[in-house]
Amino acid sequence: IKNNFKMQTKYIFVTGGVVSSIGKGIVAASLGRLLKNRGLSVSIIKLDPYINIDAGTMSPFQHGEVFVTEDGAETDLDLGHYERFIDTALSRKNNVTAGRVYQNVINKERKGDYLSGTVQVIPHITDEIKESIKAIAQEGFQIVITEIGGTVGDIEGLPFIEAIRQIKKDVGRENVLYLHVTLVPSISTNGEQKTKPTQHSVKELRSYGIQPDILVCRTDKALPPSVKEKLSLFCDVDIAAVIEGRDVESIYDVPLALETAGLAKQIIERLNIKCNEAKWNGWLEVANNLKKAEKTVSIAIVGKYVALSDAYISVCESLKHAGAKLGCKINIKWVHADEQIEKSDAKSFVGDVDGILVPGGFGDRGIEGKIEAIRYARENNIPFLGLCLGMQCAIIEYARDVCDMNGANSTEFDAKTPYPVIDLMEHQKDVVNRGGTMRLGKWDCKVATDSQLFKLYGKELISERHRHRYEVNNKYIDILSKKGLKFSGMSPDGKLVEIIELPEHKWFVASQFHPEFKSRPDNPHPLFVGFIQAAMKNKQ
């Protein structure tokens, strides 16, 4: 649906209080879904106060998954939620870090843009932040939702808070709405819900000149009228604008819960937005299928960051998307490649699952465990899906165990390997800086018409997102092919291997690209659909 009403861009700012990881990203993404359901054009920005230029050089243990956009930006994982919820491909403009802001300002200062002036946080840093937000609005969106990372009170977040305070003066208070996500904890001994943490958080926000218009209160149980009244009184927010954000079974239930709680109604009224009635299209079906699925499959994710599931959040969600389409619940079994398989054997940890998935990663830790899991999947005809590093490990395993290349490896892990079946990409060999220099973003791939993949994609030319420095060494393609490995997807120029498969196997497919970045709840990625279909058949 399209909204034909003309309107000035409306800005919604989402802040968080009390604790980190409170769910601002899911709230922002859900809000985007609610407004898009009404025919409004929506974009979402994440402002991250850390000094890194982007998320690319950070450990997944610290920051979770690095989400890659079509234009090759390495961004915060919340952009993955944004894309999945509003079904829109975002860009590097949608993730702005303090590092990038300061870098831009310093570059301008060096060029002489501020001649005769002292460069300061206010106005120069705050102006740069505001320009980043307004640049999205200038693309023609009716609604621009901006999430500020971190928690109100964090010292590094102050320039961002000041910038969003100033925007209401720039565009008019009637075009700006402040939404504060906060926590209403319960005391375990008596179950009493406490409002004081929210009161203090709002007090902190107000000390910076921002009065929230709406509170979304995270809670593990219903907010009684007495608690809403207290929050309304002490936080100076209308009682109807105190929105319950109770825990739900699935993140895909959050938009439905917030709709029922009246969030969209409050925003539409307060910003005086003219729009259509909400239409959910396929969203309700996805949410219902996730809960009502009668069939179940068990999928082992064999990785090196499995202690933090956020490191593989897009993979997990893509599995759920495929499961929703196929009416199948996905039980994920997390397997440590290093701590478990390498110290024991693969059968002990993946011998009882219906499918094995080896995701991406960097560094040599856990590599032998991943290779062993892949060997077990291949030899026991268990459906296997490899992603990025998972594909490279599959090549190494096949070279060693099928092609008799003892010691075959990637030069990333063994520079002196006698069989460098995985090697550094040619244009990467002179790279010095590590940030933002990999093969990143959307690249085309030509799919072989006689492959399993062609049946899934239904077309010969596809495009997928990448994030890697190493590739399959073309010197070994012939021998691997003669031994039965099919190279079913290549770059259009034929120089880079994109997809491999074993035709005689139930399902043995691996890709150099990251299909998880393009999967959507109501439009799951073909590779994940094929993988889960194979796992369901394997279970039967």
Side-chain angles (χ1 to χ4, degrees):
I1 57 175
K2 292 184 178 180
N3 180 43
N4 295 318
F5 299 107
K6 292 184 178 181
M7 56 180 276
Q8 183 174 344
T9 300
K10 305 292 184 179
Y11 298 84
I12 301 172
F13 296 105
V14 180
T15 56
V18 183
V19 295
S20 59
S21 301
I22 200 169
K24 300 188 305 299
I26 296 296
V27 170
S30 298
L31 177 54
R33 180 82 245 178
L34 297 182
L35 297 174
K36 188 167 183 177
N37 284 351
R38 289 163 166 81
L40 297 163
S41 60
V42 180
S43 190
I44 312 182
I45 314 171
K46 176 70 181 292
L47 302 181
D48 275 312
Y50 50 72
I51 302 299
N52 303 64
I53 299 298
D54 56 42
T57 58
M58 289 188 282
S59 165
F61 284 125
Q62 286 193 6
H63 207 68
E65 167 190 271
V66 174
F67 185 82
V68 179
T69 58
E70 296 274 277
D71 63 349
E74 296 173 287
T75 72
D76 183 84
L77 63 82
D78 277 324
L79 267 76
H81 291 311
Y82 302 163
E83 284 206 5
R84 288 187 283 271
F85 276 56
I86 66 174
D87 192 20
T88 300
L90 303 178
S91 73
R92 64 181 66 254
K93 292 181 181 179
N94 294 84
N95 192 194
V96 179
T97 68
R100 177 138 60 98
V101 168
Y102 277 85
Q103 185 183 60
N104 289 346
V105 169
I106 290 170
N107 288 343
K108 289 178 180 179
E109 186 274 333
R110 293 289 83 188
K111 288 192 299 181
D113 289 2
Y114 308 123
L115 285 180
S116 79
T118 301
V119 180
Q120 298 176 291
V121 172
I122 302 173
H124 301 100
I125 297 298
T126 50
D127 282 353
E128 187 71 25
I129 295 169
K130 290 192 294 181
E131 286 177 18
S132 299
I133 297 169
K134 292 175 182 177
I136 298 294
Q138 289 167 1
E139 295 180 5
F141 292 100
Q142 294 168 304
I143 306 290
V144 175
I145 300 170
T146 303
E147 177 196 350
I148 291 82
T151 306
V152 169
D154 295 344
I155 191 168
E156 62 266 29
L158 295 181
F160 293 90
I161 297 295
E162 171 60 18
I164 68 171
R165 182 195 70 80
Q166 291 179 16
I167 283 185
K168 74 174 182 287
K169 298 175 72 67
D170 296 345
V171 303
R173 185 66 176 91
E174 69 278 6
N175 296 311
V176 171
L177 184 142
Y178 298 107
L179 186 154
H180 192 53
V181 184
T182 183
L183 179 69
V184 179
S186 300
I187 301 300
S188 59
T189 52
N190 59 14
E192 181 183 3
Q193 291 176 309
K194 308 302 291 185
T195 64
K196 195 65 70 177
T198 296
Q199 291 181 47
H200 281 294
S201 180
V202 171
K203 181 181 178 182
E204 186 81 10
L205 190 59
R206 292 169 72 179
S207 74
Y208 301 140
I210 295 176
Q211 167 62 47
D213 301 290
I214 296 175
L215 297 179
V216 173
C217 303
R218 291 299 313 281
T219 174
D220 58 0
K221 57 185 178 182
L223 290 179
S226 59
V227 172
K228 288 187 175 183
E229 289 170 1
K230 192 171 184 181
L231 288 169
S232 172
L233 176 64
F234 286 98
C235 298
D236 195 20
V237 173
D238 292 345
I239 192 167
V242 179
I243 304 295
E244 178 182 291
R246 202 189 323 183
D247 296 344
V248 290
E249 186 175 341
S250 161
I251 61 171
Y252 302 108
D253 290 329
V254 176
L256 305 171
L258 293 177
E259 175 80 11
T260 301
L263 178 60
K265 182 175 183 292
Q266 284 296 311
I267 286 173
I268 289 167
E269 290 179 355
R270 289 168 184 276
L271 289 176
N272 192 27
I273 297 172
K274 294 181 180 179
C275 58
N276 305 310
E277 292 296 318
K279 292 185 179 181
W280 287 89
N281 298 324
W283 194 273
L284 294 176
E285 183 180 351
V286 171
N288 289 332
N289 286 349
L290 285 169
K291 289 181 286 189
K292 296 180 179 179
E294 296 181 357
K295 299 176 182 178
T296 303
V297 294
S298 175
I299 302 297
I301 296 181
V302 182
K304 58 175 68 179
Y305 313 120
V306 296
L308 180 69
S309 61
D310 274 0
Y312 303 114
I313 187 69
S314 288
V315 173
C316 296
E317 297 310 312
S318 298
L319 291 170
K320 292 176 186 176
H321 301 164
K325 179 181 177 67
L326 300 170
C328 179
K329 183 178 179 181
I330 311 297
N331 285 337
I332 294 176
K333 181 179 183 181
W334 295 101
V335 179
H336 290 263
D338 51 344
E339 294 295 322
Q340 292 177 313
I341 294 181
E342 287 185 2
K343 294 183 178 180
S344 179
D345 60 79
K347 184 178 180 180
S348 300
F349 298 100
V350 299
D352 59 346
V353 298
D354 306 308
I356 297 171
L357 189 153
V358 176
F362 298 90
D364 60 358
R365 183 174 61 83
I367 292 302
E368 294 303 321
K370 289 188 174 190
I371 291 171
E372 179 63 17
I374 294 168
R375 183 192 65 79
Y376 186 86
R378 181 181 58 79
E379 293 183 347
N380 292 278
N381 209 16
I382 297 172
F384 164 74
L385 178 61
L387 308 175
C388 196
L389 178 61
M391 188 195 85
Q392 296 178 3
C393 288
I395 292 287
I396 295 169
E397 189 279 326
Y398 206 79
R400 290 179 183 178
D401 299 326
V402 179
C403 302
D404 299 321
M405 298 184 206
N406 296 327
N409 215 327
S410 167
T411 55
E412 180 182 4
F413 316 130
D414 181 4
K416 297 181 180 180
T417 173
Y419 301 103
V421 292
I422 305 295
D423 199 6
L424 194 64
M425 302 178 74
E426 193 62 37
H427 70 272
Q428 290 287 320
K429 291 182 178 179
D430 296 323
V431 170
V432 177
N433 292 336
R434 310 311 287 174
T437 56
M438 287 183 278
R439 184 185 186 221
L440 293 165
K442 183 176 74 171
W443 294 80
D444 287 340
C445 168
K446 189 176 182 180
V447 179
T449 55
D450 60 345
S451 64
Q452 287 179 297
L453 276 302
F454 183 78
K455 295 176 183 177
L456 284 172
Y457 279 99
K459 54 185 178 181
E460 192 173 356
L461 189 66
I462 62 173
S463 65
E464 296 285 356
R465 302 184 195 181
H466 296 69
R467 184 175 184 246
H468 64 108
R469 293 188 193 279
Y470 290 79
E471 62 168 325
V472 177
N473 190 334
N474 291 341
K475 295 178 182 178
Y476 297 93
I477 288 180
D478 284 346
I479 187 170
L480 291 165
S481 298
K482 288 176 182 177
K483 289 290 187 176
L485 191 65
K486 185 174 183 63
F487 293 83
S488 52
M490 300 288 291
S491 59
D493 61 8
K495 294 181 179 180
L496 296 174
V497 173
E498 295 282 12
I499 314 172
I500 61 168
E501 61 183 61
L502 282 176
E504 303 304 319
H505 196 280
K506 284 181 182 176
W507 173 270
F508 192 100
V509 176
S511 66
Q512 183 61 72
F513 52 78
H514 289 269
E516 67 269 26
F517 294 148
K518 292 185 70 172
S519 187
R520 301 287 184 264
D522 50 357
N523 186 23
H525 194 282
L527 285 188
F528 285 92
V529 173
F531 176 53
I532 296 303
Q533 282 177 328
M536 293 170 70
K537 290 179 181 178
N538 185 51
K539 183 172 184 177
Q540 292 173 355

